[in-house]
Amino acid sequence: MRKIFLLLVILALVYFARPIWEEPVGEYVDLSFLDTVDSTIENLTADSDVTMALDGAKEFTSRIASQLQSLVRTNTAEMPEAVEKPELSDTDSLFAIHNVTLGMSKEEAQAKVGLPLRLMKNEYGTDWHSYHTNYQNYVLLSYDQNGDVNGMFTNQNIISSTDGITMNSNQEEVRNKLGVPLKSLQKGNIQYILDTREEYDLFKVGNLYVTVFYDIHEESTVTAVQVIHEDLEKERPEIYAAPDDELREGYEFLLFELTNSARIQRELPLLKWDEQAMLTSRKHSEDMAENDYFSHTNKDGESPFDRMADDDINFFVAGENLAYGQYSSIYAHEGLMNSMGHRENIVKPDFGYLGIGAAFNDENQPFYTATFFNR
């Protein structure tokens, strides 16, 4: 009996330690923003293995296995205390986010949203100032040299509009209010065709560039709004920003924040930043950018889980999301959320840690690798 008992224990340990590959979600990678807007760039597709994640251990009826599972799994993710949404006031501006409008001084804005928790360099050459309470009432603001708001973003239900646009508005309603979306964007001598795939619209309204993102899994209702003053847009001379270490770090942390912002809205525990997972992710992004490929499996045949093991990352559940060619982390996140397989990783309750690594190719196009796991 003792031998049988020991055998069951060994089998249980092996079972819970092994990677379990999730079933493929489709024949192709369905990332709406994998295509760049320049017509010289080809579409990217991959076979069904590219959407990979570790699922939680399947039902195991042995009482011993159940006890071992409770010992092995230590979910460190936490649910913060709920915070009330701000009471939105009427606005004379096209859009207000958390009652902040473009042109408002930093002092006025921060009287409404508090002090920033992080500054992240963006594609416009300024910083996104990040405001939130445990990712609730999430707002990004940019300021000009005079300290006035010249850019803002949110993916939460804290917007007001003179046109009555809300997060419950759908794409048709938004277009009826804001008019015909732009089909292209001129940068220098290059006209970039916007291949939006009906997942976002870019509008030019007066001196504002308004990007409205839609959730295709929720009847194309509004999921995020970005408002940029035309003077700030002019500061971006090309569609892709010139990369440096600050921009890479800004992109990495912003995609992390947007992930947690999406989770908190679904009452899911927040993920913790993991530095080693960031380094592992960054190495894979650099490898893809330098060697011109896009795949979860690298040129040496290593899977995400091989790379994690090589870097001594212990895990019982893990997954990886990839994105490429987006203009910023905002576009990358919204595209991932509109791809059901990648969305499942973002909102998977079992994950507790996340590390994101970005890199840029010779054309300044960003590659993102997001490594989710729990130990």
Side-chain angles (χ1 to χ4, degrees):
M1 288 295 294
R2 172 171 288 187
K3 290 182 178 179
I4 294 174
F5 176 81
L6 289 174
L7 179 60
L8 284 172
V9 171
I10 292 170
L11 288 173
L13 285 171
V14 171
Y15 182 85
F16 288 112
R18 71 185 180 92
I20 303 171
W21 295 85
E22 185 176 79
E23 290 296 320
V25 297
E27 185 177 0
Y28 297 103
V29 178
D30 182 20
L31 284 183
S32 303
F33 303 102
L34 287 182
D35 299 327
T36 63
V37 294
D38 192 332
S39 61
T40 64
I41 300 165
E42 297 179 356
N43 294 339
L44 284 172
T45 59
D47 60 36
S48 58
D49 308 25
V50 302
T51 303
M52 299 179 294
L54 286 171
D55 202 356
K58 296 179 181 179
E59 182 179 1
F60 195 75
T61 56
S62 166
R63 180 171 59 87
I64 298 171
S66 177
Q67 292 172 346
L68 285 169
Q69 180 181 13
S70 66
L71 290 173
V72 173
R73 294 189 174 189
T74 305
N75 197 325
T76 58
E78 301 174 351
M79 269 300 299
E81 184 177 344
V83 175
E84 289 186 7
K85 292 186 179 299
E87 183 176 344
L88 300 178
S89 57
D90 294 335
T91 179
D92 295 329
S93 300
L94 180 61
F95 279 101
I97 295 176
H98 204 303
N99 296 318
V100 174
T101 59
L102 287 195
M104 186 175 286
S105 71
K106 181 184 289 188
E107 290 74 19
E108 290 178 288
Q110 292 189 164
K112 300 177 184 297
V113 298
L115 296 176
L117 300 182
R118 181 181 281 131
L119 272 63
M120 298 166 286
K121 187 174 180 180
N122 60 34
E123 67 273 26
Y124 300 101
T126 63
D127 291 323
W128 281 126
H129 293 61
S130 173
Y131 305 89
H132 59 88
T133 303
N134 290 322
Y135 297 97
Q136 299 167 83
N137 301 328
Y138 186 80
V139 181
L140 297 176
L141 297 178
S142 168
Y143 300 98
D144 63 21
Q145 294 180 345
N146 297 319
D148 297 331
V149 177
N150 61 0
M152 55 188 188
F153 169 88
T154 189
N155 61 350
Q156 297 191 3
N157 189 19
I158 51 175
I159 65 171
S160 51
S161 168
T162 53
D163 286 335
I165 296 172
T166 70
M167 289 297 192
N168 293 321
S169 302
N170 61 32
Q171 187 177 52
E172 182 179 0
E173 292 168 343
V174 171
R175 290 178 174 179
N176 286 339
K177 297 289 187 179
L178 299 183
V180 179
L182 299 179
K183 300 299 182 183
S184 62
L185 187 62
Q186 189 80 25
K187 289 291 178 183
N189 296 323
I190 301 175
Q191 187 175 45
Y192 295 94
I193 305 301
L194 300 175
D195 184 15
T196 66
R197 302 193 180 187
E198 302 297 307
E199 297 189 10
Y200 73 92
D201 284 327
L202 175 61
F203 301 93
K204 181 66 163 60
V205 184
N207 59 2
L208 304 180
Y209 284 92
V210 179
T211 307
V212 182
F213 298 90
Y214 307 104
D215 191 329
I216 65 171
H217 301 296
E218 296 182 8
E219 299 180 345
S220 292
T221 50
V222 175
T223 185
V225 174
Q226 176 179 274
V227 184
I228 302 294
H229 193 278
E230 64 178 357
D231 289 342
L232 180 58
E233 183 63 48
K234 291 175 183 177
E235 294 298 315
R236 184 170 59 139
E238 298 180 0
I239 201 73
Y240 293 109
D244 57 25
D245 289 341
E246 284 185 274
L247 185 65
R248 170 161 72 174
E249 187 174 277
Y251 278 10
E252 291 168 345
F253 278 119
L254 180 52
L255 190 55
F256 172 78
E257 290 199 356
L258 293 171
T259 300
N260 268 335
S261 179
R263 288 176 69 89
I264 200 66
Q265 292 180 78
R266 292 159 177 80
E267 299 183 352
L268 294 171
L270 297 175
L271 302 178
K272 294 182 179 180
W273 178 263
D274 188 86
E275 194 71 11
Q276 182 56 61
M278 178 276 288
L279 294 173
T280 299
S281 298
R282 187 179 282 183
K283 284 190 293 185
H284 186 56
S285 291
E286 290 173 345
D287 189 38
M288 290 189 294
E290 292 171 6
N291 294 292
D292 193 26
Y293 75 95
F294 184 74
S295 174
H296 290 278
T297 303
N298 65 21
K299 296 290 187 178
D300 295 326
E302 292 181 317
S303 72
F305 314 109
D306 295 326
R307 295 191 291 273
M308 292 175 71
D310 290 344
D311 290 340
D312 297 322
I313 298 176
N314 297 318
F315 62 93
F316 72 82
V317 59
E320 182 180 86
N321 280 352
L322 301 180
Y324 156 71
Q326 296 79 11
Y327 312 140
S328 72
S329 296
I330 290 173
Y331 286 84
H333 173 75
E334 294 299 324
L336 289 166
M337 285 295 289
N338 273 329
S339 169
M340 187 54 75
H342 301 85
R343 184 189 187 109
E344 288 174 359
N345 274 346
I346 292 170
V347 301
K348 193 177 186 68
D350 294 344
F351 291 142
Y353 298 91
L354 173 61
I356 294 171
F360 303 86
N361 65 12
D362 292 339
E363 297 178 352
N364 296 341
Q365 299 161 339
F367 285 73
Y368 297 91
T369 302
T371 299
F372 302 81
F373 71 101
N374 212 346
R375 58 169 65 99

